[in-house]
Amino acid sequence: MKLLRLLLLLVFIPTYAQQGGMWIPSLLKGMNQKEMKSLGMKMSASDIYDVNNSSLKDAVPHFNGGCTSEVISSKGLLLTNHHCGYGEIQAHSTVEHDYLTDGFWAMSLEEELPNPGMEVTFIVRIEDVTNQVLEGVSILKSEEDKQKKIQDNIAKISKESPKENYQGNRIRTFYEGNQYMLFVTETYKDVRLVGAPPSSIGKFGSDTDNWVWPRHTGDFSLFRIYANKDNLPAEYSEDNVPYTPKHYFPISLGGIEEGDFTLVFGYPGRTQEYLPSVAVEQLIDVINPAKIEVRDAALKVTDAFMRKDKQIKIQYASKYASIANYWKKWIGETQGLKKTNAVAVKKAFEKDFLARAKKAGKMDKYGNLFTEFEKYYTEIEPYQLSRDYFIEVAIRNVELLTVGYRLYQLEQIYNARGAQSFTDRKNNTVSSLEGTYKDYSKQVDEKVFEQLIALYAEKSPKQFLPGMLKGVNTQELTQNVYANSKLTSHNGVKELLNTSNEPEEIIKALNADPGYELIKAMMQAYIEKVAPKYEELTLELDALQRTYMKGILELSPKDARIFPDANSTMRVTYGQVKGYEPRDAVYYKPVTYLDGVIEKYVPGDYEFDVPQKLITLYNNKDYGQYGENGKMPVCFLGTNHTTGGNSGSPAIDAKGNLIGLNFDRVWEGTMSDVYYDPAICRNIMVDIRYVLFIVDKYAGATRLIDEMELVNVKKR
Ligand code: ARG
Ligand code: GLU
């Protein structure tokens, strides 16, 4: 009996041990391929990534620099999340044509809507250029000289490496400066909006359900890539034609079951899996709480206005969602790090690391690491905190200050580069602020300002505050700024910037504006008192982190699974469909159904309303070829290790077919950016059958279904 238990344990531990990690697609051949096969994959590494033949990677472009997307037809049809296409959907919306509320479906190519400024980027190939980048670096003494040499080498390699004239390239570091990779890219700039469900489907559950399981969101939208007549990248033109991809995903209607292999391909943005324990402690106790408090205040104010006023709701929907998203994530992350004892786990790892360093006779290199980390993290804390307050208040949340910040940059340009540059930039700023003010409400911003400037004055480290904020009456300050500053309207800004033809005069006028005066004082205090020391200490910490990473690579056992932190480059993560236990005695199953949408339905609610047509389809069980045993699957969970940027990533089955669309993680596992725990870290995907059901049965956009390649279709 005991032996059986032990055997079972041995069988189970390895499947968990094989989870986690975001891997470089061009380096999957060894250990990863073996693991993926043991998890059930039926492809080979070269089906996923190949340079000479088309492979899965050719169907996975980076979406507008932030999200991921995938090509799902031979005519360049592109799938991503609703929240990734949100800005575009919003930009085409007005109170009369509200595509956010009602959805949008182009019923022909002619109806597809262009999006100036948007782009998607494909990866053509990936090369290891570590040796070239590090050439001549080790002989240099100071950290600054080393970094400069590295930057020079990167510029040179990037310039000289062969590529077509319509291609680009970029070099990124992996393992904190221990490895460098070159990516050759192709960027398409004519990307049109094809379809989006109403928010009551695409954003169902909104902020209440965000980062939460069980989930019932149809978080998808559809675009199409257009190319010139030679199928090459081109700026928007009426003459462009639908792009013919090197690869597109066949779509499986076969469904999924717990234990099935899944692979998620995409562009994860940033993780910090190898932070030392002191840094994690600081994140939990100091940094996250401060940022959470600022956003708490901003969100409360905005939410109250949005609930009362339809116009404000449209204007602020996108901004609100984006502020709320990381606010909620930081809360979940902090809780998760505490609950999984991440600090203790890291401390134990550090002890073990030192033991291995000792055994290997490398204490001279690694023996002082953690004392040094401790020293520098203690020293940087007030600077970090001050910086975070500044960013959260002035750059992220108070719009008047954000505008002021851009005008401040204008003044800097005049000082550095003179009148001509100033005038060019001025015209540019004026026109780009038009979009900002289209969605601006002075009353909302004033209330946000009042709350946040008070937090800034009271809570950010006092020694770095600008003089005018020390002991200030923040209520009076607010009244004065919003009564007298010209930055509260686009016309006001234009008036200021058109005071005269003389830059000197304009700058004088700017400096007399109370809003401008404040942001300038905040900015100068930051630049003089915070930035220099912050940058100096960051450079030291980066160097320590690089040494630590090098040590981990050097001292770990040969078969250790050490993956590089996310850095917005293309990665593969894999796992299985799996539920989890969020807390004692509770088990979450890995699949949700349309029944759950109806359970959550609150008529007229701004988060949980359901469109009548969807209710009718549900009542009639009218699921076409997309349902399963009389039910309509909606979302499912996997053990894939994902992060921000993986939104819109394809979820792929053992044979390379599309089964879902990644869009979130579970609340209890959001700490996976710092510490991945395979027991509770899960990614959330929309079942691809729900996407097709909405496109086909809900929207009637059958022309789109017709251009897809459906596989594993059930015979009926
Ligand atoms: N949490 C998901 C991600 O980080 C979805 C965010 C969009 N949805 C929302 N309700 N704000 O991006
Ligand atoms: N929603 C996230 C995004 O926008 C992905 C979810 C995550 O952070 O895991 O990229």
Side-chain angles (χ1 to χ4, degrees):
M1 200 49 207
K2 260 212 174 127
L3 192 69
L4 189 68
R5 275 259 251 356
L6 198 73
L7 271 176
L8 274 177
L9 261 180
L10 283 177
V11 174
F12 278 118
I13 289 169
T15 54
Y16 261 157
Q18 293 167 345
Q19 316 273 317
M22 341 179 129
W23 308 93
I24 304 173
S26 53
L27 304 177
L28 299 172
K29 285 225 162 88
M31 176 270 288
N32 294 121
Q33 176 166 279
K34 219 189 287 156
E35 277 186 5
M36 290 191 280
K37 290 200 164 163
S38 80
L39 288 166
M41 185 178 78
K42 302 277 187 281
M43 298 177 282
S44 69
S46 54
D47 292 324
I48 299 171
Y49 174 91
D50 200 348
V51 184
N52 304 312
N53 300 298
S54 71
S55 55
L56 299 190
K57 75 127 175 46
D58 296 319
V60 189
H62 208 172
F63 185 84
N64 226 2
C67 287
T68 305
S69 54
E70 53 276 0
V71 184
I72 56 167
S73 87
S74 59
K75 296 187 189 127
L77 190 60
L78 195 68
L79 179 64
T80 189
N81 289 146
H82 185 262
H83 77 262
C84 295
Y86 205 80
E88 284 69 36
I89 304 167
Q90 183 195 30
H92 291 294
S93 294
T94 57
V95 172
E96 295 79 44
H97 292 281
D98 187 350
Y99 300 142
L100 284 176
T101 305
D102 305 326
F104 168 77
W105 303 97
M107 289 303 179
S108 64
L109 288 178
E110 291 69 40
E111 285 178 19
E112 299 180 356
L113 300 173
N115 302 286
M118 223 214 104
E119 56 185 43
V120 298
T121 299
F122 289 91
I123 301 299
V124 181
R125 60 170 200 278
I126 308 174
E127 276 164 44
D128 191 320
V129 290
T130 311
N131 292 338
Q132 295 99 296
V133 171
L134 294 180
E135 202 176 289
V137 171
S138 64
I139 50 163
L140 298 172
K141 279 252 143 54
S142 85
E143 191 51 35
E144 255 179 289
D145 291 348
K146 287 186 185 190
Q147 289 311 320
K148 178 151 188 313
K149 178 74 184 165
I150 288 173
Q151 288 317 317
D152 291 350
N153 286 349
I154 285 180
K156 183 158 168 267
I157 301 160
S158 165
K159 200 163 145 228
E160 289 169 4
S161 123
K163 62 176 173 57
E164 305 295 334
N165 60 13
Y166 53 85
Q167 297 177 326
N169 66 28
R170 52 190 71 154
I171 293 170
R172 291 280 184 276
T173 181
F174 293 74
Y175 299 108
E176 331 280 347
N178 287 287
Q179 186 179 27
Y180 289 84
M181 296 292 217
L182 169 93
F183 295 80
V184 176
T185 59
E186 280 172 17
T187 297
Y188 284 80
K189 299 193 165 174
D190 186 352
V191 185
R192 303 186 196 168
L193 179 62
V194 172
S199 291
S200 51
I201 291 172
K203 210 187 156 185
F204 181 73
S206 193
D207 296 302
T208 300
D209 268 10
N210 190 23
W211 301 109
V212 167
W213 187 258
R215 191 62 157 278
H216 299 88
T217 313
D219 194 345
F220 78 95
S221 60
L222 289 160
F223 287 78
R224 190 187 304 281
I225 307 172
Y226 282 74
N228 70 16
K229 296 237 156 60
D230 302 319
N231 205 35
L232 294 177
E235 295 292 337
Y236 168 79
S237 155
E238 261 184 60
D239 300 332
N240 287 347
V241 294
Y243 165 70
T244 306
K246 293 191 197 114
H247 182 73
Y248 61 88
F249 286 105
I251 297 177
S252 171
L253 296 189
I256 44 106
E257 266 174 34
E258 185 144 22
D260 280 359
F261 173 80
T262 57
L263 182 150
V264 172
F265 216 145
Y267 298 83
R270 181 163 186 250
T271 59
Q272 299 174 284
E273 309 286 345
Y274 304 96
L275 281 182
S277 56
V278 273
V280 179
E281 231 164 351
Q282 191 172 75
L283 192 69
I284 297 174
D285 296 336
V286 183
I287 305 299
N288 274 356
K291 296 196 290 190
I292 291 166
E293 189 182 10
V294 174
R295 290 200 181 189
D296 249 337
L299 289 167
K300 265 195 200 112
V301 171
T302 314
D303 180 64
F305 280 103
M306 283 170 68
R307 283 176 187 269
K308 280 195 314 234
D309 186 320
K310 201 166 168 193
Q311 171 78 14
I312 291 181
K313 190 182 152 193
I314 295 180
Q315 289 178 317
Y316 280 78
S318 182
K319 286 182 273 189
Y320 184 92
S322 116
I323 301 289
N325 191 34
Y326 264 61
W327 163 77
K328 194 165 176 184
K329 192 217 136 177
W330 292 327
I331 300 175
E333 178 179 89
T334 309
Q335 288 183 10
L337 287 171
K338 285 183 186 162
K339 191 172 165 193
T340 53
N341 293 316
V343 173
V345 173
K346 301 251 171 198
K347 282 201 167 127
F349 181 85
E350 286 159 15
K351 206 171 146 201
D352 186 51
F353 177 89
L354 285 178
R356 277 180 279 136
K358 201 162 179 188
K359 214 168 133 201
K362 298 206 161 150
M363 284 303 269
D364 54 332
K365 255 167 102 182
Y366 302 123
N368 280 331
L369 257 182
F370 302 110
T371 337
E372 294 277 290
F373 268 130
E374 174 101 40
K375 173 175 162 233
Y376 283 107
Y377 271 106
T378 309
E379 208 176 326
I380 204 172
E381 187 168 296
Y383 298 93
Q384 180 72 54
L385 202 53
S386 192
R387 181 172 192 270
D388 284 331
Y389 271 107
F390 178 72
I391 292 175
E392 283 299 315
V393 173
I395 312 287
R396 283 309 305 257
N397 285 294
V398 179
E399 293 169 277
L400 177 134
L401 295 177
T402 307
V403 171
Y405 174 70
R406 300 190 47 190
L407 301 179
Y408 174 80
Q409 290 175 314
L410 204 54
E411 181 174 348
Q412 294 313 106
I413 285 189
Y414 177 67
N415 295 338
R417 287 190 245 144
Q420 188 55 51
S421 302
F422 175 86
T423 307
D424 293 346
R425 178 69 169 254
K426 184 188 93 173
N427 296 334
N428 206 312
T429 305
V430 168
S431 64
S432 79
L433 282 177
E434 183 161 353
T436 309
Y437 282 107
K438 175 173 163 266
D439 293 328
Y440 180 78
S441 155
K442 181 178 165 183
Q443 35 164 351
V444 176
D445 195 43
E446 177 168 357
K447 278 274 171 260
V448 172
F449 177 99
E450 185 174 350
Q451 301 276 322
L452 266 50
I453 210 71
L455 276 175
Y456 187 75
E458 282 158 29
K459 299 264 174 106
S460 80
K462 295 255 180 346
Q463 66 271 38
F464 307 134
L465 279 181
M468 66 183 287
L469 281 180
K470 282 186 186 154
V472 70
N473 178 328
T474 49
Q475 238 166 340
E476 275 169 24
L477 176 70
T478 308
Q479 272 160 18
N480 177 32
V481 168
Y482 283 79
N484 300 314
S485 172
K486 294 227 159 64
L487 309 193
T488 56
S489 74
H490 196 209
N491 279 337
V493 174
K494 282 196 264 191
E495 209 180 292
L496 265 180
L497 294 180
N498 292 330
T499 313
S500 147
N501 283 328
E502 288 302 312
E504 297 274 356
E505 292 300 312
I506 299 176
I507 287 169
K508 219 185 260 165
L510 278 179
N511 280 280
D513 184 278
Y516 186 80
E517 198 192 1
L518 175 63
I519 182 71
K520 186 170 174 179
M522 287 171 77
M523 196 58 213
Q524 284 180 338
Y526 175 77
I527 289 175
E528 282 160 25
K529 299 181 193 168
V530 180
K533 193 76 185 167
Y534 174 81
E535 276 154 29
E536 178 195 321
L537 294 170
T538 306
L539 208 58
E540 294 293 344
L541 282 168
D542 286 350
L544 284 175
Q545 193 69 45
R546 181 162 359 121
T547 307
Y548 185 28
M549 196 69 237
K550 189 165 191 216
I552 294 175
L553 290 167
E554 243 172 53
L555 299 170
S556 299
K558 271 249 158 339
D559 57 350
R561 306 171 80 262
I562 304 165
F563 55 91
D565 268 316
N567 57 359
S568 294
T569 62
M570 186 180 229
R571 302 293 179 90
V572 164
T573 169
Y574 47 86
Q576 289 172 311
V577 176
K578 232 184 198 90
Y580 71 108
E581 231 184 87
R583 53 188 177 275
D584 187 36
V586 177
Y587 180 74
Y588 280 157
K589 292 196 230 171
V591 177
T592 60
Y593 296 92
L594 195 55
D595 307 65
V597 173
I598 304 299
E599 274 173 20
K600 286 178 177 172
Y601 173 39
V602 181
D605 186 69
Y606 95 112
E607 297 191 306
F608 292 101
D609 201 8
V610 177
Q612 186 50 49
K613 177 134 190 222
L614 188 57
I615 299 175
T616 308
L617 288 166
Y618 172 76
N619 288 336
N620 298 334
K621 304 279 169 276
D622 187 2
Y623 305 144
Q625 57 183 337
Y626 312 110
E628 179 183 275
N629 304 325
K631 287 169 78 136
M632 186 65 237
V634 176
C635 294
F636 66 102
L637 290 178
T639 57
N640 311 288
H641 187 178
T642 53
T643 186
N646 271 122
S647 273
S649 291
I652 301 160
D653 71 4
K655 294 182 175 164
N657 303 310
L658 191 67
I659 48 174
L661 176 63
N662 182 73
F663 72 101
D664 212 357
R665 275 173 289 168
V666 303
W667 177 249
E668 296 80 5
T670 44
M671 79 299 180
S672 65
D673 291 346
V674 177
Y675 173 61
Y676 180 87
D677 182 341
I680 55 167
C681 291
R682 297 289 179 272
N683 71 312
I684 307 180
M685 298 156 276
V686 199
D687 193 306
I688 202 66
R689 293 169 297 175
Y690 189 56
V691 171
L692 298 200
F693 161 74
I694 297 295
V695 171
D696 184 345
K697 288 285 177 177
Y698 178 84
T702 46
R703 69 167 186 120
L704 301 175
I705 305 288
D706 292 342
E707 63 174 283
M708 300 173 191
E709 181 184 330
L710 306 183
V711 300
N712 302 327
V713 179
K714 272 166 282 165
K715 299 196 184 71
R716 16 180 71 237

